Amino acid sequence: MLTRSEECRQKREAVVRYLEAHDLEGVVLSRRPNFAWFTCGGLHHVSTATEVGAASLLVTPRRSVCIANNIEAPRLAAEELAGLGIEVCSFDWWDEAAAKRVWSEELGALQVACDAPVSAAGGRLRPLPADFDLLRRRLNEAEIARYRRLAPEVAAVVETACRQVRPGMTEHELAARMAAGLRARGIRAPVILAANEERVRRFRHPLPTQAVFSRYGMGAVCAEREGLYVSVTRLFSFGPVDEALRRRHEAVCKVDAAMMAATVAGAMLGDVFTACQRAYAEAGFPDEWKHHHQGGQVGYLPRETRATPGCAIPVSAGQAFGWNPTIAGTKSEDTILVSADRTEILSATGDWPTRPYCVAGLTFARNEILEL
């Protein structure tokens, strides 16, 4: 298994190759997904409400340096960058002239591109080409190991919280239980959804409200630790599931299984989407895909890419995906990993009732609605 320093060195080598291929002498990485990727899970943000962090990495063929103000630099050096061979250069937070001077000295005459504007650099940075994102979209062995630890934890928290719901409890209470369980494990949740039976039928992204549960409901999260994102949805019912809901849930599970079966190395995301549309039609719900996106590749963003009709982005081994087909009132969602010879459901816990769905000779266990 790669150590963190070895993983960071590999990523630095990948960046240097990228620079050579694009006639660049450096990149500045300020966006949270790129910082987390390069530092193997490091965090450089303070506010979770922004995609750009509170520091920047300058990576050149000679060195890697983190440029930060004197508020952030000590923590970054001690907790996020220790042992990675990344220098830290700081300036006083109130001194704009000092910030501009540091950036001028570090950049020199280099031809550098940035993933987000840096005001103190004074317009000397060109935009980073979009294909830089491809560097982080194929997971290495250490990232896969982190995913295998993270995904079942996220699912276990959601499942535990859903089991604790009782009639009369509010959606906010379910959301709070999921949030607390995740934070206790060092996991952040930028997306938490909770809905009772009425709201899960009406809305595809039901943010929690004071509405109370009475018959059935849903809990869902998109959660992150060490920069990697996991998506999970679970449904529960107080007593037996009625026939109309059961039919819809079986249909959405068939769609999910069809998408998983189509997610193989060498396929295009458009191929997966075609399989999705076909499965909806065969299940008797041909237009349901129009009401919600169906998911896509995950990694250092909740969705690195989304599948759409005709999408020519290829599926590769070492990529993770989160498919989330929905039919009004129900949904099926887990995080999966594509390998050269199989598709692995990362967020399966073994503690939630499932049913096997066979597609093209492949069998996938999809989650039932838990009867409480």
Side-chain angles (χ1 to χ4, degrees):
M1 178 65 66
L2 291 170
T3 66
R4 192 162 174 250
S5 61
E6 291 169 340
E7 183 183 353
C8 186
R9 185 162 56 249
Q10 279 192 5
K11 290 174 176 178
R12 173 181 165 74
E13 292 168 355
V15 170
V16 171
R17 290 193 298 270
Y18 180 89
L19 296 178
E20 294 170 349
H22 290 75
D23 294 322
L24 289 168
E25 297 172 292
V27 292
V28 172
L29 306 178
S30 302
R31 294 176 61 226
R32 289 168 58 186
N34 287 332
F35 187 96
W37 168 75
F38 190 85
T39 61
C40 314
L43 303 176
H44 74 318
H45 69 275
V46 178
S47 170
T48 59
T50 176
E51 191 179 323
V52 176
S56 298
L57 288 172
L58 170 61
V59 184
T60 74
R62 290 194 307 109
R63 57 200 282 260
S64 302
V65 58
C66 180
I67 302 174
N69 65 36
N70 65 314
I71 304 172
E72 310 305 330
R75 188 192 71 82
L76 291 171
E79 296 183 346
E80 309 295 348
L81 307 177
L84 298 183
I86 299 174
E87 306 168 41
V88 177
C89 181
S90 68
F91 53 88
D92 291 328
W93 68 265
W94 69 87
D95 194 339
E96 184 177 347
K100 291 180 178 178
R101 186 168 56 251
V102 166
W103 275 100
S104 178
E105 292 172 354
E106 292 296 337
L107 292 173
L110 296 175
Q111 297 296 311
V112 178
C114 63
D115 65 356
V118 178
S119 59
R124 298 179 56 189
L125 305 173
R126 69 177 72 170
L128 185 62
D131 63 353
F132 184 86
D133 290 352
L134 298 176
L135 296 183
R136 67 169 189 265
R137 290 184 183 170
R138 186 164 185 170
L139 305 170
N140 63 38
E141 60 180 274
E143 291 166 322
I144 291 172
R146 291 197 288 273
Y147 247 133
R148 286 183 173 137
R149 291 192 297 270
L150 171 63
E153 286 189 57
V154 172
V157 167
V158 174
E159 292 172 4
T160 297
C162 286
R163 284 193 179 92
Q164 296 170 345
V165 179
R166 296 295 180 266
M169 183 181 291
T170 70
E171 295 169 350
H172 280 313
E173 290 178 275
L174 171 57
R177 289 171 187 254
M178 292 190 291
L182 293 169
R183 289 300 306 188
R185 293 160 176 78
I187 305 169
R188 291 157 289 276
V191 178
I192 296 182
L193 305 177
N196 69 3
E197 62 278 2
E198 189 270 336
R199 294 185 70 245
V200 76
R201 285 195 300 267
R202 293 180 61 198
F203 307 119
R204 306 297 165 126
H205 287 153
L207 298 180
T209 70
Q210 287 290 356
V212 300
F213 296 100
S214 60
R215 287 196 297 148
Y216 76 94
M218 179 190 80
V221 302
C222 179
E224 170 270 327
R225 187 174 64 199
E226 298 177 298
L228 297 172
Y229 286 84
V230 167
S231 296
V232 167
T233 294
R234 298 291 185 265
L235 287 98
F236 53 89
S237 174
F238 304 118
V241 178
D242 68 59
E243 187 57 35
L245 177 59
R246 186 179 302 280
R247 175 175 173 263
R248 286 172 172 261
H249 190 68
E250 288 177 356
V252 85
C253 286
K254 288 177 181 177
V255 175
D256 199 7
M259 297 184 78
M260 289 183 179
T263 311
V264 295
M268 299 293 174
L269 290 188
D271 300 330
V272 181
F273 203 87
T274 297
C276 152
Q277 292 173 303
R278 184 185 306 115
Y280 271 115
E282 291 174 350
F285 298 91
D287 294 324
E288 283 291 317
W289 65 268
K290 298 178 180 179
H291 302 298
H292 188 245
H293 75 81
Q294 303 301 300
Q297 187 188 352
V298 301
Y300 287 91
L301 285 172
R303 293 293 185 267
E304 292 275 3
T305 60
R306 286 182 183 174
T308 54
C311 180
I313 297 174
V315 176
S316 299
Q319 292 182 333
F321 290 84
W323 301 123
N324 47 250
T326 66
I327 295 174
T330 189
K331 180 182 177 185
S332 182
E333 181 178 31
D334 271 303
T335 300
I336 65 174
L337 174 70
V338 175
S339 300
D341 57 351
R342 68 186 180 117
T343 297
E344 173 185 354
I345 301 176
L346 294 172
S347 50
T349 64
D351 293 328
W352 194 266
T354 63
R355 174 180 167 181
Y357 288 82
C358 186
V359 180
L362 301 173
T363 300
F364 298 95
R366 301 314 305 125
N367 298 293
E368 296 274 72
I369 300 175
L370 177 68
E371 295 183 4
L372 294 172

